[in-house]
Amino acid sequence: MVTTTFLCCLFTLAYAAPPPYRLLDQPRGTTRAFFDVEFATTGWTSLANVTGWAAMSLPLGVTADGLPIGVQLMAPDETILLKLSAQLETAIPWAGRRPPGGVAG
Protein backbone atom coordinates (compact mmCIF):
# COMPACT_ATOMS: atom_id res chain seq x y z
CA MET A 1 0.00 0.00 0.00
CA VAL A 2 1.37 3.42 -0.98
CA THR A 3 0.44 6.41 1.13
CA THR A 4 0.86 9.89 -0.25
CA THR A 5 0.60 13.00 1.87
CA PHE A 6 -0.07 16.37 0.30
CA LEU A 7 0.70 19.44 2.34
CA CYS A 8 -1.24 22.46 1.23
CA CYS A 9 0.14 25.94 1.75
CA LEU A 10 -0.98 29.20 0.17
CA PHE A 11 1.51 32.04 -0.40
CA THR A 12 0.20 35.60 -0.79
CA LEU A 13 1.61 39.07 -0.28
CA ALA A 14 0.98 40.22 3.28
CA TYR A 15 0.07 43.69 2.01
CA ALA A 16 -1.33 44.66 -1.37
CA ALA A 17 0.81 47.81 -1.48
CA PRO A 18 3.18 49.74 0.75
CA PRO A 19 1.25 51.15 3.71
CA PRO A 20 -0.36 54.54 3.02
CA TYR A 21 1.34 56.20 6.00
CA ARG A 22 -0.40 59.51 5.27
CA LEU A 23 -3.77 57.80 5.86
CA LEU A 24 -2.94 55.59 8.82
CA ASP A 25 -2.65 58.35 11.39
CA GLN A 26 -5.65 60.36 10.13
CA PRO A 27 -9.18 60.16 11.50
CA ARG A 28 -11.31 58.20 9.06
CA GLY A 29 -14.71 59.45 10.18
CA THR A 30 -16.74 56.28 9.65
CA THR A 31 -16.35 52.57 10.12
CA ARG A 32 -16.72 52.16 6.37
CA ALA A 33 -13.86 54.61 5.72
CA PHE A 34 -11.70 52.71 8.23
CA PHE A 35 -12.29 49.37 6.54
CA ASP A 36 -11.85 50.83 3.04
CA VAL A 37 -8.26 51.71 3.95
CA GLU A 38 -7.68 48.42 5.79
CA PHE A 39 -8.92 46.19 2.97
CA ALA A 40 -7.14 48.24 0.30
CA THR A 41 -3.78 47.67 2.02
CA THR A 42 -4.01 44.28 3.71
CA GLY A 43 -4.83 42.30 0.58
CA TRP A 44 -5.36 38.62 1.29
CA THR A 45 -4.78 38.64 5.06
CA SER A 46 -8.53 38.53 5.77
CA LEU A 47 -8.73 35.25 3.85
CA ALA A 48 -7.07 33.50 6.79
CA ASN A 49 -9.75 34.86 9.09
CA VAL A 50 -12.66 33.55 7.05
CA THR A 51 -11.12 30.15 6.28
CA GLY A 52 -9.90 29.46 9.79
CA TRP A 53 -6.50 28.44 8.43
CA ALA A 54 -3.36 29.23 10.37
CA ALA A 55 -1.35 32.12 8.90
CA MET A 56 1.96 33.90 9.37
CA SER A 57 3.85 36.65 7.64
CA LEU A 58 7.55 36.40 6.84
CA PRO A 59 9.82 39.23 5.59
CA LEU A 60 11.07 37.41 2.50
CA GLY A 61 11.77 40.38 0.26
CA VAL A 62 12.67 44.06 0.29
CA THR A 63 11.52 47.09 -1.69
CA ALA A 64 13.91 49.26 -3.69
CA ASP A 65 13.99 51.51 -0.59
CA GLY A 66 15.09 48.60 1.60
CA LEU A 67 11.79 48.15 3.42
CA PRO A 68 10.68 44.57 4.13
CA ILE A 69 8.05 42.91 1.95
CA GLY A 70 6.00 40.40 3.88
CA VAL A 71 4.75 37.17 2.38
CA GLN A 72 1.80 35.56 4.10
CA LEU A 73 1.72 31.79 4.36
CA MET A 74 -1.54 30.01 5.08
CA ALA A 75 -2.17 26.34 5.79
CA PRO A 76 -4.85 24.24 7.46
CA ASP A 77 -2.39 23.27 10.21
CA GLU A 78 0.13 25.53 11.95
CA THR A 79 2.68 22.70 12.13
CA ILE A 80 3.01 22.94 8.34
CA LEU A 81 3.69 26.69 8.64
CA LEU A 82 6.28 26.30 11.37
CA LYS A 83 8.21 23.66 9.43
CA LEU A 84 8.02 25.64 6.20
CA SER A 85 9.05 28.92 7.84
CA ALA A 86 12.08 27.24 9.42
CA GLN A 87 13.15 26.01 5.99
CA LEU A 88 12.58 29.44 4.44
CA GLU A 89 14.58 31.19 7.17
CA THR A 90 17.48 28.83 6.48
CA ALA A 91 17.25 29.48 2.73
CA ILE A 92 16.53 33.24 2.97
CA PRO A 93 17.87 34.51 6.32
CA TRP A 94 16.19 37.70 7.50
CA ALA A 95 17.12 38.03 11.17
CA GLY A 96 20.04 40.40 10.49
CA ARG A 97 18.29 42.64 7.96
CA ARG A 98 17.40 46.18 9.01
CA PRO A 99 15.55 48.81 6.99
CA PRO A 100 17.39 52.06 6.26
CA GLY A 101 17.29 54.29 9.33
CA GLY A 102 16.14 51.38 11.47
CA VAL A 103 17.41 50.64 14.96
CA ALA A 104 20.30 48.18 15.10
CA GLY A 105 19.41 44.96 16.88
Side-chain angles (χ1 to χ4, degrees), residues 74-89:
M74 293 174 34
D77 183 329
E78 66 184 29
T79 304
I80 296 168
L81 294 180
L82 295 172
K83 289 178 180 179
L84 180 57
S85 66
Q87 293 174 6
L88 286 168
E89 186 172 14

Side-chain angles (χ1 to χ4, degrees), residues 59-76:
L60 297 182
V62 294
T63 66
D65 297 334
L67 297 175
I69 297 173
V71 173
Q72 177 178 258
L73 311 177
M74 293 174 34

Side-chain angles (χ1 to χ4, degrees), residues 14-98:
Y15 291 96
Y21 293 110
R22 68 188 192 308
L23 297 176
L24 296 179
D25 64 348
Q26 300 298 314
R28 300 190 196 155
T30 66
T31 303
R32 172 65 188 251
F34 173 83
F35 283 109
D36 285 347
V37 172
E38 295 302 308
F39 292 136
T41 58
T42 59
W44 294 94
T45 58
S46 60
L47 187 58
N49 295 334
V50 298
T51 63
W53 280 23
M56 66 172 43
S57 178
L58 303 174
L60 297 182
V62 294
T63 66
D65 297 334
L67 297 175
I69 297 173
V71 173
Q72 177 178 258
L73 311 177
M74 293 174 34
D77 183 329
E78 66 184 29
T79 304
I80 296 168
L81 294 180
L82 295 172
K83 289 178 180 179
L84 180 57
S85 66
Q87 293 174 6
L88 286 168
E89 186 172 14
T90 299
I92 310 168
W94 61 77
R97 280 195 255 151
R98 300 287 181 267

